[in-house]
Amino acid sequence: MYRKFDDHHMVPLWSEIGNIMPSQPEPSAVPYAWRWSELSALAKEAGELVPVGRGGERRAIALANPGLQEPFASPTLWCAIQYLGPREVAPEHRHSQNAFRFVVEGEGVWTVVNGDPVRMSRGDFLLTPAWCYHGHHNETDEPMAWIDGLDVPFVHYTDGSFFELGPLQVTDQSTPQYSRSERLWAHPGIRPVSSKSNTESSPIAAYRWEHTDSALNDQLALEDEGHPVTVEPGHAAIRFVNPTTGADVLPTIRAEFHRLRPGTVTESSRVVGSRVFQAFEGRGRFVIGEKVFEIEKGDVVVVPSWARASIEAESSLDLFSFSDEPIIEKLGLSSPPGLVPPMSL
């Protein structure tokens, strides 16, 4: 009978149920940390050896989780360091994957999204939703590096990948302080009446550091005044949202920013779904399962699904994070009630 199963490409559930339906998640991805000092040095070396342009399209180097076969940070998330040299142009293209950029240091590059030039500066969180043409141009004599985050693994596993080349040069080489999308949409609590339809992804091309920083400072100031507005004592956090719906900025990716006071230790907890953090400023450590990762500015850490994790801030610690939680929530795969408290990170 089993030989017949093999001959007909069939597999009985009773021999596989422990692997495909375990009592709790058993992720292949492992906790891991990449050091910014090493990432930026290798990206610089790539910049000296590898041209940017048609063919490779981007000088982007993926962060490959040691527990996975593919070059993914987690089974659903892709993270890479991208490097653009002085006066270089990365040509335009588009794809079915959702993408963003986060800038930990540097300035002088503009990303052009559907013809709208968007300044990239330290602390900025920038969106490139699926099917938007986008390219980058560096207008300075200095290189710049940043991290890219995409839902590449998720789209790859669903066989939903599409890719299309655009112009070799970006469609608008101007360098405005603020993009057209920001001028239209990035005003607190205000929506243009001319836009009558909600959008699946946020129409804001860039969430600026000055607003993120101010919001986090105000949360901690209100906490000092006795108001319970933080996630937990000493832990301020904000989520970037789509102003047309109040939901996540991208349909498959959640993005947040966290600020921990010196000495703060977050609650140790776990959830279904994976998350990637980049330290923006400060020093601290991640305790993920039995592994401890000391981190400082620029370091990237992946917390796999169902891994118990907490963060300890040695100094004031700023963390950018992104996760696959919109997918998990839409599929109803969040942590079962009563098993563990929701992750506070």
Side-chain angles (χ1 to χ4, degrees):
M1 181 182 68
Y2 286 106
R3 285 197 298 269
K4 290 177 182 178
F5 285 162
D6 291 341
D7 292 343
H8 291 83
H9 302 286
M10 299 167 66
V11 178
L13 175 62
W14 58 81
S15 67
E16 298 295 323
I17 192 168
N19 295 323
I20 62 176
M21 293 184 181
S23 59
Q24 66 180 37
E26 297 177 355
S28 298
V30 299
Y32 196 76
W34 293 267
R35 304 302 174 191
W36 183 250
S37 59
E38 298 168 354
L39 294 177
S40 55
L42 286 168
K44 180 180 179 181
E45 184 175 351
E48 296 168 352
L49 298 173
V50 180
V52 67
R54 289 280 109 106
E57 285 294 298
R58 300 287 187 263
R59 194 183 290 108
I61 308 164
L63 310 188
N65 190 297
L68 302 176
Q69 297 295 320
E70 300 87 352
F72 304 150
S74 84
T76 52
L77 301 173
W78 193 81
C79 183
I81 181 172
Q82 185 171 164
Y83 184 93
L84 199 63
R87 306 294 170 180
E88 281 190 326
V89 175
E92 292 196 2
H93 63 218
R94 65 175 183 168
H95 39 68
S96 53
Q97 295 86 355
N98 291 284
F100 72 80
R101 302 167 217 303
F102 180 72
V103 184
V104 73
E105 62 184 13
E107 60 181 31
V109 169
W110 271 256
T111 183
V112 181
V113 181
N114 279 348
D116 189 7
V118 187
R119 171 177 53 88
M120 296 176 62
S121 300
R122 172 171 160 77
D124 292 346
F125 170 61
L126 308 104
L127 297 183
T128 308
W131 288 118
C132 291
Y133 278 110
H134 55 283
H136 321 301
H137 60 110
N138 187 345
E139 294 301 313
T140 73
D141 295 322
E142 298 294 330
M144 184 171 163
W146 59 88
I147 65 163
D148 291 338
L150 291 90
D151 56 8
V152 167
F154 178 74
V155 176
H156 172 73
Y157 290 134
T158 59
D159 287 335
S161 297
F162 292 89
F163 181 91
E164 185 176 6
L165 296 174
L168 187 60
Q169 295 293 320
V170 293
T171 50
D172 190 332
Q173 293 187 331
S174 63
T175 57
Q177 180 73 359
Y178 296 105
S179 62
R180 294 190 295 274
S181 75
E182 293 170 83
R183 293 166 61 193
L184 183 62
W185 281 101
H187 303 285
I190 295 174
R191 174 172 177 163
V193 176
S194 59
S195 177
K196 296 179 172 60
S197 300
N198 292 342
T199 57
E200 190 169 20
S201 298
S202 173
I204 302 176
Y207 292 75
R208 298 296 176 188
W209 168 242
E210 55 263 33
H211 304 305
T212 302
D213 184 44
S214 177
L216 294 167
N217 281 337
D218 282 345
Q219 278 192 28
L220 292 176
L222 286 166
E223 181 183 60
D224 288 338
E225 296 166 19
H227 303 288
V229 297
T230 53
V231 176
E232 52 192 337
H235 178 186
I238 59 100
R239 180 174 299 166
F240 301 99
V241 298
N242 178 345
T244 73
T245 62
D248 291 293
V249 288
L250 296 169
T252 53
I253 294 176
R254 175 166 296 168
E256 297 179 343
F257 207 103
H258 298 252
R259 174 168 291 166
L260 279 64
R261 296 184 192 269
T264 298
V265 179
T266 68
E267 179 184 3
S268 177
S269 52
R270 57 185 178 181
V271 295
V272 174
S274 48
R275 180 170 294 195
V276 177
F277 291 83
Q278 183 174 36
F280 181 68
E281 199 66 70
R283 299 180 310 280
R285 64 191 56 85
F286 277 75
V287 181
I288 309 172
E290 297 182 356
K291 295 186 176 181
V292 178
F293 300 98
E294 302 287 337
I295 60 163
E296 58 185 14
K297 177 182 173 181
D299 293 349
V300 179
V301 180
V302 61
V303 180
S305 178
W306 209 238
R308 185 171 291 279
S310 67
I311 304 172
E312 302 173 2
E314 181 179 338
S315 67
S316 178
L317 182 61
D318 281 0
L319 298 164
F320 169 78
S321 76
F322 68 101
S323 72
D324 56 12
E325 288 179 75
I327 299 173
I328 300 300
E329 290 175 357
K330 288 172 186 174
L331 295 178
L333 297 176
S334 299
S335 305
L339 283 187
V340 292
M343 193 172 190
S344 61
L345 304 183

